[in-house]
Amino acid sequence: MSGELDFRGARGSNTGDVYHELWAVQSALKLLDRASKLEAVTVEGVPSADGSGHKWDGVDCTLLYGGASIQTAERVVLQQLKYSASEPNKLWSPSRACYGPSSINPSSSLMRGLGKAFRETVRLREGKPLSDISVELVTNQPVSDRVVDVINKAKNDGVPESFKAKWKSGGDNLHRLVRASGLSPKEFQDFSKCFKFVSQTSSRFLLEEKMLIEVSVWTDSEFAEVALRLRNFIRNKMMMPETAGEIITKESVLLQFGVTEIQALFPCPAKVKPVTDLVSREISKELCNGIIDGDQRILLHGSGGVGKSTIIQHFQGLLPEGSEVIVFDCYGAGSYMDASAMRHRPRDAFVQLANELANRLNIPAFLEPRSGLDFARAFHRRLLLASETLYKVRPETKLVIVLDAADNSISAANARVPKEESFVAELISFEDLPKNVALVVSSRTGRRDDLKLPGSFKHFELPPFSRPETGEFVAHFWEAPEEWVDDFHRLTNGTPRVQNYAFGKTSGKPSEALDPLRPNGKTLEVIFHEQFDEAVWHPSTQDEQNI
């Protein structure tokens, strides 16, 4: 595939430069991911605070997590990029890995460059675990099994001290790589534990390469201009000696979009707490199977507390691998009525959705919050671009947009004086959804008519837990007798939020979860009143309420 494609007309060695630029752009965009601890990226070296010189010649990109220097970062990833459009099938053999342009001198070889960078990184991070260092060869060319085998041998079996001696032609390949790296046998064993191949045989590389190819051939002026702007930003870092190794931070990437704060690009982040122990629910499987079979417009409705927001967290694992689920949290942990949040307004909602989409796919299609923009139309254009790009890279996957608790968005818009329009009305009116895209809207059953959904939406009603589902939920806390589970299911009416409330009242003694429910069980409404009263009498605990 790689040999048949070029990057925007680039040829020969220039193709590698353009690939390097785009790879670095993708790495820099990951700085905007709130879920990532990535703090800084460098190209052509490492942060100037960590030094300079030939010892870093083997480093094209450095990714620093939890810190902005090699010394302070919690995790360090050193990457060497080797891309060839003309010879995509040329093998990285032991000989090629051990020698540079000269067939006899290893001083400019791949192994020497990576070895020097590894040694210096270990020195700078003295006392820190080696497991926090990763050295990666990123290449579109295959890596010889002989190279992979000797690296694994060094990692698992160690390196003989005799490999300090000069390697002789016809000798052991591990010996050859050790000598080419310039590392001692013990250093090489440590290096092998940190070394990773991200090559054409790696699924990660193939997906990244396909995505970069798609970005490189964008022709739409709006998106091509943003991609080119980011490439120029990276190119300046790569080409100018005075900026080599200068760190790229979240703030410097934000400036490329004309903003200074992450909130400008992500004004309505989700506030739904992730659930680690999800209960398997049949309706989740039924709904996702419908999406796989072609359902594109779905309403998920149910009474309060039955777990609508929670089962949405099932979707990612039930859809084809590589699918993306983008969730817009209309409730915002109760902030949907807050005048400072404005989650219902098209400007904020569509900017959040568009940039969440770009961030998830790691493509430079971010929506800049400029005044006077038709935000619904701008999001729709990005949705079409993202779906097309995803289809070309992962044709079997789905892109699912979820509006969680959409009825709250309608309520917030109606509460404004004068009344305002919710973005939900515009989004559900999109007629030409791409075939790999599905729109899921969730709402309380009693307020679903407020959404004014078109007849094309397929309705799924989420019931309370069944008795087996209650049993699975209880098992996350303790191995309860069946009779106990029966009582618990009856006293909670199978309502997940009531069940969660009951366990929250036990102070670490789950067997006592029946006590706050007796004698006649409790409903969600009763729990709301109790927690409101507690908040009034104990204001300091208000932030701890999880209803």
Side-chain angles (χ1 to χ4, degrees):
M1 175 188 67
S2 304
E4 299 172 356
L5 296 167
D6 64 354
F7 288 91
R8 299 190 69 83
R11 299 292 180 186
S13 62
N14 189 43
T15 311
D17 293 337
V18 176
Y19 182 84
H20 188 166
E21 289 174 10
L22 288 169
W23 182 276
V25 164
Q26 280 200 326
S27 298
L29 288 177
K30 291 173 184 174
L31 289 162
L32 303 182
D33 186 352
R34 290 172 178 265
S36 171
K37 296 185 71 174
L38 183 64
E39 197 164 311
V41 174
T42 67
V43 292
E44 299 299 334
V46 298
S48 55
D50 295 314
S52 58
H54 294 300
K55 53 185 172 289
W56 302 115
D57 287 348
V59 180
D60 288 322
C61 278
T62 308
L63 310 181
L64 302 170
Y65 295 83
S69 70
I70 285 179
Q71 297 102 312
T72 61
E74 296 175 7
R75 186 162 72 92
V76 175
V77 179
L78 307 175
Q79 295 180 328
Q80 169 71 269
L81 275 62
K82 297 291 185 182
Y83 190 91
S84 172
S86 59
E87 298 181 292
N89 296 315
K90 185 176 181 179
L91 195 67
W92 279 100
S93 63
S95 175
R96 187 180 175 207
C98 291
Y99 299 108
S102 167
S103 60
I104 58 173
N105 186 358
S107 62
S108 58
S109 69
L110 169 74
M111 294 307 301
R112 181 62 57 89
L114 294 176
K116 288 190 296 184
F118 174 75
R119 172 181 282 163
E120 186 64 10
T121 300
V122 172
R123 186 187 71 79
L124 290 171
R125 296 174 60 81
E126 185 177 3
K128 295 185 177 180
L130 286 172
S131 57
D132 294 334
I133 300 173
S134 181
V135 182
E136 298 182 349
L137 170 61
V138 181
T139 178
N140 70 318
Q141 298 173 312
V143 177
S144 167
D145 288 342
R146 288 180 294 164
V147 174
V148 175
D149 289 345
V150 296
I151 293 294
N152 287 333
K153 181 179 179 182
K155 178 176 19 179
N156 299 323
D157 302 333
V159 181
E161 281 296 313
S162 61
F163 285 3
K164 287 181 180 177
K166 184 177 181 180
W167 178 80
K168 295 181 180 180
S169 179
D172 188 282
N173 280 323
L174 176 55
H175 188 179
R176 190 180 199 180
L177 264 66
V178 171
R179 291 294 298 169
S181 72
L183 300 172
S184 70
K186 176 61 172 68
E187 286 177 319
F188 193 88
Q189 181 180 11
D190 291 340
F191 168 82
S192 68
K193 294 176 181 177
C194 302
F195 191 38
K196 297 178 181 177
F197 300 104
V198 185
S199 68
Q200 72 165 216
T201 57
S202 159
S203 59
R204 171 190 161 191
F205 176 82
L206 291 174
L207 289 175
E208 293 278 12
E209 183 189 30
K210 287 179 180 179
M211 190 65 78
L212 292 183
I213 289 172
E214 290 306 316
V215 171
S216 74
V217 297
W218 283 353
T219 57
D220 188 296
S221 59
E222 179 183 0
F223 304 121
E225 187 275 331
V226 174
L228 185 59
R229 187 197 317 160
L230 289 167
R231 281 177 53 190
N232 286 337
F233 169 64
I234 294 295
R235 186 180 301 129
N236 288 336
K237 300 284 186 183
M238 292 170 55
M239 302 300 293
M240 301 180 68
E242 62 270 26
T243 61
E246 182 180 317
I247 64 171
I248 299 169
T249 63
K250 175 172 63 180
E251 289 72 24
S252 58
V253 175
L254 288 172
L255 287 174
Q256 305 310 307
F257 296 105
V259 299
T260 57
E261 295 182 350
I262 192 72
Q263 189 173 355
L265 293 182
F266 299 93
C268 308
K271 296 185 179 182
V272 177
K273 292 183 179 179
V275 178
T276 53
D277 296 318
L278 292 168
V279 173
S280 301
R281 306 202 66 179
E282 285 303 316
I283 193 171
S284 303
K285 300 171 187 175
E286 183 183 352
L287 191 152
C288 287
N289 285 337
I291 292 174
I292 294 170
D293 292 338
D295 290 343
Q296 291 190 275
R297 293 170 175 83
I298 291 172
L299 169 67
L300 172 66
H301 67 94
S303 58
V306 294
K308 297 182 293 296
S309 297
T310 301
I311 76 158
I312 289 168
Q313 297 180 39
H314 279 266
F315 292 178
Q316 191 74 58
L318 295 173
L319 294 168
E321 184 178 0
S323 297
E324 297 290 352
V325 180
I326 311 296
V327 180
F328 185 88
D329 176 14
C330 295
Y331 182 64
S335 65
Y336 67 102
M337 286 289 192
D338 187 347
S340 65
M342 298 302 182
R343 289 175 172 264
H344 67 280
R345 287 188 175 175
R347 173 191 173 101
D348 290 340
F350 284 123
V351 166
Q352 174 71 34
L353 276 168
N355 293 336
E356 189 82 29
L357 191 56
N359 188 241
R360 189 70 63 82
L361 294 181
N362 203 26
I363 55 177
F366 285 76
L367 176 54
E368 301 170 33
R370 299 191 301 268
S371 59
L373 195 64
D374 184 338
F375 290 97
R377 182 173 179 273
F379 169 69
H380 187 249
R381 284 163 54 78
R382 282 159 177 77
L383 181 62
L384 295 178
L385 176 75
S387 66
E388 180 183 0
T389 303
L390 184 64
Y391 178 76
K392 290 180 178 178
V393 175
R394 312 172 202 160
E396 72 289 349
T397 61
K398 297 290 184 178
L399 175 57
V400 181
I401 307 296
V402 180
L403 307 186
D404 187 25
D407 50 317
N408 289 301
S409 183
I410 303 298
S411 297
N414 290 339
R416 302 295 295 169
V417 180
K419 288 185 178 182
E420 296 179 350
E421 190 75 22
S422 164
F423 81 100
V424 173
E426 292 185 87
L427 185 48
I428 63 176
S429 68
F430 286 180
E431 294 182 357
D432 55 340
L433 289 180
K435 289 184 178 180
N436 61 337
V437 172
L439 175 61
V440 178
V441 179
S442 77
S443 167
R444 288 200 181 197
T445 299
R447 298 198 294 204
R448 57 182 165 169
D449 290 343
D450 296 345
L451 300 174
K452 299 179 181 177
L453 295 174
S456 55
F457 273 76
K458 186 174 181 178
H459 293 215
F460 286 82
E461 182 172 6
L462 179 63
F465 277 161
S466 64
R467 169 56 178 79
E469 289 169 344
T470 291
E472 184 179 342
F473 179 76
V474 169
H476 294 152
F477 296 89
W478 74 301
E479 295 184 13
E482 289 300 312
E483 297 80 3
W484 191 100
V485 178
D486 290 338
D487 287 343
F488 188 69
H489 183 69
R490 176 177 55 80
L491 291 171
T492 60
N493 296 302
T495 305
R497 196 178 300 177
V498 176
Q499 295 183 355
N500 194 57
Y501 156 85
F503 278 115
K505 287 285 188 179
T506 62
S507 301
K509 299 178 181 178
S511 61
E512 298 178 1
L514 292 177
D515 296 345
L517 301 171
R518 289 188 171 115
N520 301 315
K522 287 186 178 173
T523 64
L524 196 60
E525 183 179 3
V526 171
I527 289 173
F528 278 140
H529 284 303
E530 286 185 3
Q531 293 188 323
F532 177 78
D533 291 341
E534 288 178 7
V536 170
W537 286 104
H538 303 285
S540 62
T541 66
Q542 207 164 11
D543 290 339
E544 300 173 9
Q545 303 304 318
N546 180 23
I547 60 175

